[in-house]
């Protein structure tokens, strides 16, 4: 695993190498020892699989507040996505900055998103699948959502938006009073 820092502290792109032969390929997705510097040795608490049927669809931007703040290790298993992380950490020098990257099913890249970030993605193809390894269990009482089209963020989604859930579409816009979350 090759760990590649991004402009947002803690947000890390991870390149993996596939071992291939006539049978197919093998890729290590998670190694506690190699990723311990990022994860702090926290265990994986939950694993989720998201399937999105239509190109242009957006999921997110989702996060959890303390005491249920969660980190995520995200990998694309099928198709291609434009994956976005937004720094919500109170006091961060990159507060409300976002960074995006393309993940695809080639299996070469995945991303580690630390606690204190919102996460979302846009499907760049039909029928994409993302695998999420979460550092905390989902807690509805601590869940938050940012609007995908909030002008305060100015996220440049690459495709026309085709589908968004009612929950994500109805998320409030950031106001001047939003000072971040503790992580």
């Amino acid at each position: 695993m090759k760990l590649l820092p991004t402009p947002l502290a803690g947000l890390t792109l991870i390149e993996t190498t596939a071992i291939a032969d006539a049978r197919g390929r093998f890729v290590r997705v998670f190694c506690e020892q190699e990723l311990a510097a990022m994860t702090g040795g926290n265990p994986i608490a939950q694993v989720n699989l998201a399937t999105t049927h239509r190109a242009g669809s957006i999921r997110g931007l989702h996060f959890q507040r303390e005491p249920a703040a969660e980190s995520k290790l995200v990998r694309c298993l099928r198709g291609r996505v434009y994956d976005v992380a937004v720094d919500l950490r109170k006091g961060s020098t990159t507060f409300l900055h976002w960074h995006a990257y393309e993940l695809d099913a080639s299996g070469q890249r995945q991303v580690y998103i630390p606690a204190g970030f919102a996460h979302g993605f846009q499907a760049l193809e039909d029928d994409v699948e993302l695998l999420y390894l979460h550092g905390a269990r989902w807690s509805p009482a601590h869940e938050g959502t940012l609007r995908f089209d909030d002008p305060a963020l100015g996220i440049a989604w690459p495709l026309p938006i085709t589908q968004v859930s009612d929950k994500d579409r109805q998320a409030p816009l950031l106001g001047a009073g939003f000072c971040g979350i503790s992580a």
Side-chain angles (χ1 to χ4, degrees):
M1 293 182 169
K2 186 185 221 180
L3 309 180
L4 307 170
T6 69
L8 307 182
L11 180 67
T12 306
L13 195 59
I14 302 167
E15 286 186 356
T16 58
T17 303
I19 299 169
D21 63 21
R23 300 169 294 171
R25 64 186 182 139
F26 176 88
V27 177
R28 182 170 39 174
V29 174
F30 178 81
C31 177
E32 181 181 10
Q33 184 177 0
E34 287 187 41
L35 301 178
M38 285 185 309
T39 67
N42 291 332
I44 299 300
Q46 186 170 310
V47 178
N48 294 329
L49 178 66
T51 301
T52 304
H53 295 301
R54 190 167 170 208
S57 297
I58 292 178
R59 289 185 185 260
L61 302 156
H62 304 140
F63 64 96
Q64 289 197 162
R65 295 176 182 85
E66 287 291 352
E70 65 178 352
S71 59
K72 298 176 183 176
L73 183 64
V74 180
R75 184 176 195 90
C76 184
L77 300 179
R78 182 170 43 165
R80 290 183 313 122
V81 300
Y82 185 73
D83 205 79
V84 176
V86 181
D87 188 351
L88 302 181
R89 297 171 296 181
K90 189 181 297 188
S92 170
T93 59
T94 56
F95 177 64
L96 295 184
H97 291 209
W98 60 273
H99 188 70
Y101 27 81
E102 189 174 305
L103 299 177
D104 62 42
S106 73
Q108 301 302 317
R109 300 166 91 187
Q110 57 191 14
V111 66
Y112 176 78
I113 303 165
F117 279 72
H119 172 255
F121 70 90
Q122 183 177 45
L124 298 177
E125 298 177 359
D126 290 344
D127 296 318
V128 300
E129 287 186 352
L130 289 187
L131 181 69
Y132 292 78
L133 285 70
H134 296 262
R137 290 181 58 224
W138 177 64
S139 172
H142 299 94
E143 180 180 42
T145 304
L146 299 180
R147 270 271 289 282
F148 64 94
D149 61 351
D150 194 319
L153 297 174
I155 296 172
W157 299 104
L159 296 180
I161 297 166
T162 57
Q163 293 180 321
V164 177
S165 73
D166 288 341
K167 174 180 127 181
D168 292 348
R169 189 176 302 284
Q170 294 168 8
L173 294 173
L174 286 170
F178 183 77
C179 60
I181 62 173
S182 299

